[in-house]
Amino acid sequence: MASIHIHPPWLLPESQVTPENIHRNRRHFLRDLGLASAGVAMAPSLLGQTSTNASAAFYPARRNPAFDPKLKLTSEKLVTTYNNYYEFSTTKDRVHKLVGPFRVDPWSVWVGGLCEKPTTFSLEDLLKLAPIEERVYRFRCVEAWSMVVPWSGYPLSKLLAKVVPKAEANFVKFTTVMRPEEMPGIARLSDYPWPYTEGLRMDEAMHPLTLLATGLYGKPMAKQNGAPVRLVVPWKYGFKSAKSLVKIELVSEQPATLWNAVNPTEYPFLSNVEPNVPHPRWSQASERELGTGNRIPTLPYNGYAAEVAALYARK
Ligand code: MTE
C-alpha cells in the first residue's frame, strides 16, 4: 500500500508455524467434550485466544458447508502474526506484539444514519443477533498475497435489517476505532485521515457473502485481526475489510474512505479483485500464497465471480 514493506512469509521459521489441523483437531475435541461452550472461563486459556471472555461461549461455530471451498487453510500462526493494521504498525510481524494494551471489552457499535431504527449494539447484542457460523474464505490483499481463512460471523445484511434502512440509503460507511493512546501507529502516520474508514455500496453490503466477522479459527477474533468485530468482503482487496468497527452508517452519497483519500488512483472505491487491472505499481495477475510461497493465478473477484459479477454487470 502507500508505504508498505512486504515481509516475506519465508522469514517466519517453519518451526513457528503450527499446522492448522492440530488446532482444528484440538478444538473439535473440546467441542465434542462440550467444553467449548461449557467452559467459558476455561476456553480462553486452553485455546490461546486473545479476545474477550464474553464472546468465548459462541465458539467454535459450526462450519457452513456452502462456504467451504476445500482449500488448505493458511496456518493460524501465520494469519495472526502477519497483519496489516496500520493503527499499530506498518510492519506486519510487529502488529501482534503491540496489541496487548488495546481494550476490546466492553465494546459497542453504533449503526445509524438513513434508517428507521438507529441502534447502539453491545458486543453481546451482536453475538446474539444471528446464528454465528464458520465460513472459509479466500482473502486477497491488494499487495498481491493471499490466504485462506476460517472466519466466524454472519452476513452483515442481518445487522442492517435490524435498523431498517431507508430507501435513500445508497452506501454504507464503516468506521474503525481510533485510540491513539493504545495504537502507536496512528501518531507515526499523523498525516493520514484517521480514523480508518471504508465503504460499500448498499447492494454490496447486503450481499450474502459480506460477513460481519466476530471470530477466526474457531475463537473470538484476535486483536491483531480486528477484534472484536470486523468486516470481511472476500471478492474485494483486503483493505476494504475494515477492522474493529465502532460505527456503521447508512448514507446517500459515496463516503470518503481512508485509502481512497490517501491515494485515489491506487485504491479506488470499488477495488474488486481484478487480475486484468494492474495496480499502478505492480501486476495483479497473480498472488503469493502465504505459507507456501507459491505464486498462483489471481481469479476474477477472487474466485467469487459466480456470486457477485452480476452486481457489476451494468457498471
Ligand atoms: N482495518 C484497519 N482498521 N486498519 C488497517 O490497517 N488493513 C486492511 C484491512 N483492514 C487495515 C484494516 C488491510 S490492507 C488488509 S490486507 C486486512 O485488513 C488485513 O487483515 P488481517 O490482518 O486480518 O489479515
Side-chain angles (χ1 to χ4, degrees), residues 32-252:
D32 293 347
L33 283 178
L35 285 176
S37 55
V40 174
M42 185 178 182
S45 57
L46 273 179
L47 298 175
Q49 61 144 110
T50 54
S51 193
T52 69
N53 277 350
S55 53
F58 292 84
Y59 306 93
R62 193 161 292 281
R63 185 173 294 178
N64 183 338
F67 302 96
D68 190 355
K70 305 283 183 234
L71 296 172
K72 187 177 180 321
L73 300 181
T74 306
S75 79
E76 178 182 7
K77 181 83 180 180
L78 201 42
V79 172
T80 54
T81 55
Y82 187 89
N83 299 104
N84 274 338
Y85 203 162
Y86 273 30
E87 288 88 330
F88 291 95
S89 175
T90 54
T91 305
K92 293 176 176 44
D93 59 5
R94 276 183 55 72
V95 173
H96 72 106
K97 297 176 184 153
L98 294 169
V99 294
F102 177 36
R103 285 172 296 112
V104 296
D105 185 12
W107 195 270
S108 61
V109 182
W110 175 82
V111 189
L114 297 172
C115 64
E116 302 296 343
K117 296 180 179 173
T119 309
T120 299
F121 296 89
S122 68
L123 179 60
E124 288 71 23
D125 296 335
L126 291 176
L127 291 166
K128 289 181 194 149
L129 189 138
I132 295 192
E133 61 183 43
E134 185 172 84
R135 295 181 174 197
V136 176
Y137 279 170
R138 301 159 174 276
F139 192 81
R140 169 62 156 82
C141 180
V142 73
E143 300 161 350
W145 53 262
S146 67
M147 51 193 187
V148 180
V149 184
W151 303 102
S152 307
Y154 51 78
L156 176 69
S157 62
K158 307 229 178 203
L159 173 62
L160 296 180
K162 293 279 176 201
V163 300
V164 191
K166 291 185 176 167
E168 314 89 87
N170 297 321
F171 293 89
V172 186
K173 177 176 179 176
F174 302 89
T175 305
T176 285
V177 75
M178 178 177 158
R179 294 201 208 122
E181 65 286 7
E182 297 172 15
M183 301 174 135
I186 292 180
R188 284 198 216 100
L189 294 170
S190 55
D191 50 343
Y192 276 33
W194 302 108
Y196 194 104
T197 45
E198 255 312 329
L200 294 174
R201 294 189 331 210
M202 194 65 186
D203 58 347
E204 297 173 328
M206 295 301 284
H207 193 279
L209 277 176
T210 301
L211 199 67
L212 191 73
T214 56
L216 82 171
Y217 289 101
K219 303 169 197 170
M221 191 68 71
K223 292 181 184 180
Q224 58 271 32
N225 294 94
V229 58
R230 71 175 291 174
L231 193 63
V232 181
V233 193
W235 73 94
K236 291 179 177 281
Y237 291 121
F239 68 90
K240 298 292 295 181
S241 295
K243 296 179 168 182
S244 307
L245 300 172
V246 289
K247 206 166 145 185
I248 300 177
E249 190 175 3
L250 296 150
V251 294
S252 59

Side-chain angles (χ1 to χ4, degrees), residues 301-313:
Y301 300 104
N302 197 26
Y304 299 96
E307 290 90 340
V308 301
L311 294 181
Y312 309 100

